[in-house]
Amino acid sequence: MDRADRLDPSLNPKLDPSLAAEVSRLRWQCRRGMLELDLLLNRFLDAGFVELDPAGRTDFVRFLGYQDQIIHDWLMGRAVPADAPLRRLVVRIQQAMRA
Amino acid sequence: MTIPHRKFDALIIGAGGAGLNAALRLASADLRVAVVSKVFPTRSHTVAAQGGVNAALANVFPDDWHWHMFDTVKGSDYLGDQDAIEYMCREAIPTVYELEHAGVPFSRLDDGTIYQRAFGGQSQNFGGDQAARTCAAADRTGHAILHTLYQQNVRARTHFFDEFFAIDLIRDEEGAVLGALVLEIETGATLVIEAKATLIATGGYGQVFRTTTNAFINTGDGMAMALRAGVPLMDMEFYQFHPTGVAGKGMLITEGARGEGGYLINGDGERFMERYAPRALDLASRDVVARSMVTEIREGRGCGPNKDHVMLKLDHLGAEVVHHRLPGITDICRVFLGIDPAKAPIPVFPTAHYAMGGIPTDRFARVVAPARHGPEEVVPGLYAAGECACVSVHGANRLGGNSLLDILVFGRAAGTDILQYVAENPNHRPLREADLEPAVTRLARWERKGEGETVAAVKADLRKLMEDHCGVFRDDDTMAVGVEKLKALRERVEHARLKDQSPTFNTARIEALELDNLVDVGMATLMSAHARQESRGAHSRIDHPARDDERWMKHSLYSRDGDRMDFKPVRTKPLTVESFPPKARVY
Ligand SMILES: Cc1cc2nc3c(=O)[nH]c(=O)nc-3n(C[C@H](O)[C@H](O)[C@H](O)COP(=O)(O)OP(=O)(O)OC[C@H]3O[C@@H](n4cnc5c(N)ncnc54)[C@H](O)[C@@H]3O)c2cc1C
């Protein structure tokens, strides 16, 4: 099963349905105005999101609420978020891209 | 099932620069305006534009809108319509000042005026010295423009339908456009938005190619809606590619990398541009570099396990040069490839960037299509502006900084004309249930159950097909085979199925609807490219290497009905000045 299929409830009966619903909701929030963000955020949603604890998932939702240009600067390493949970998230998203 | 209806004076589909500038004009005049956007407005693709917007302000060097016009006509390889180009270049100046007053934080010169940078293709005095015409807000011009326009629209009480997906236009028996059927992505509920005038401002369609700089949302939805409503698409063969995108990803590696001394190598480690352009080498024109790269790959000299890219070498320049002069490239390589470009070469492939073609309009942004009385009859109630439209100001090739200008000028022009149209047509035309049927049927198609291919599989094949058969390497054989393959792929879409039928946040369903659109715009592109037997601007053919004004100085029109090709003349007469006759395009 590839990564995306693991997040598809019709293919993976072990997936918690509420988590699956959360992932589909966030999938659209990961559609952004810049290709770089599409690639990074979608990869993370497939590869890293389900491994986050509930607090981490809440942070990710908060992260997605920021403007494209700000998220872009964070993920490309041109700026650093002020709070520690978002800084940790930036590192995880970057790691997922290269995994 | 009865679908709820909402009524507005104007419906705008798309909340990028074009849609928002039109909406602002209308809402400021107290019209009831609905803006539908499939993503939150400030996530529209306009946010990605970094370079800037052109206007002959003459803040750095002497400049004149007439010189800007000359450069644009020449850049278009004489396929642009000169009335529209004159209008755009004149309007550029008040447009930029209007943005400045609205609060866009343009970069400044010491004397407080707007800073302007020099871009390729800009000249003083009709082809003389370099001009500096591009106004930028640091490296985030698109972001600044989009946010400013959005805030102003909120203030003007524009009604936003965020995360609503437009499915199709609604036309009555007489061909007038009555609005659109839309779908709320969160709930899956449908809604009919009735409007006296409808503007399509849905942006580009780079996602039809496997390697593109465009975000995932750029799927040509509005163009395909126009096609399905019986409007042809114009000049779709003209698509701008950049030679160096990150292979398999698409992001642009700017020409600056080769300007600093970077060069391309093939799988044998050979600096192959020496064979194709012995003098200009890696700085030869974009189409020459891009075609040389693809020729190397086609002939089996690519790099990597699949031999499907070439390499851009920068490591001989030293860390100091690479990291300090090319910081953007360094970041992209680090984040996406996990490499340091000062130490390892970058895998690259030509990347699809900008659509010159689109929905045919006149300079008032009214959609025009061939009908009983000629090739340019206005479709009542329908407008288009921005990258999805073809006015045509870019002709066969767009100049850097002219597309932000296009979206702003013609977005505003659409607003102005809609004001008048709504004043003259103050009532909604009656909408019958039967007018909704085509749109409802298309949506229902994806509810069919049973076995079938996945949308993702068909989409991946489509994008590869377009790259192989209608990318930078174009000749008769390659494209004829491509057309046949695409017709077969179109059949496969009919048999594809959605596994996930849940109504809420069903991204898979949206992706299926987008696939329908990509196939339609893909066919328009491929058929138009196959038809045009010459090389002009971004369309370069190996079997017809020269421009042929006698046979081909005309616009192409592709209609979905019967996959038909048609043509119409270029408008060579400007509004007030002499026309620029075609000349060889040398820089
Ligand atoms: C990386 C990059 C850099 C660029 N840099 C420059 C530059 O420096 N200067 C320049 O002049 N040009 C530049 N361009 C080109 C320019 O950015 C675009 O041509 C322009 O922003 C397009 O604007 P638009 O308003 O037409 O559409 P977009 O900004 O793409 O907006 C389209 C809108 O339509 C909506 N939409 C689409 N389909 C649907 C649907 N089915 N239902 C509902 N809503 C829908 C979207 O949600 C969005 O709101 C660049 C392009 C790229 C890719």
Side-chain angles (χ1 to χ4, degrees), chain A residues 28-29 31 33 38 73 78, chain B residues 38 45 140 216 331 514:
Chain A
W28 198 252
Q29 302 309 312
R31 284 274 199 119
D38 283 341
D73 287 352
R78 291 176 203 164
Chain B
K38 65 178 173 179
H45 199 46
R140 48 197 60 196
F216 291 4
D331 289 345
E514 288 174 339

Side-chain angles (χ1 to χ4, degrees), chain B residues 464-498:
Chain B
K464 179 81 168 67
L465 188 165
M466 289 299 294
E467 188 162 286
D468 290 346
H469 295 276
C470 202
V472 295
F473 188 99
R474 295 179 175 186
D475 64 13
D476 187 67
D477 284 353
T478 309
M479 290 189 287
V481 171
V483 169
E484 290 316 308
K485 283 189 178 172
L486 186 49
K487 284 182 177 163
L489 186 138
R490 192 162 61 181
E491 281 302 306
R492 281 170 58 195
V493 177
E494 291 302 312
H495 303 290
R497 290 288 182 277
L498 276 182

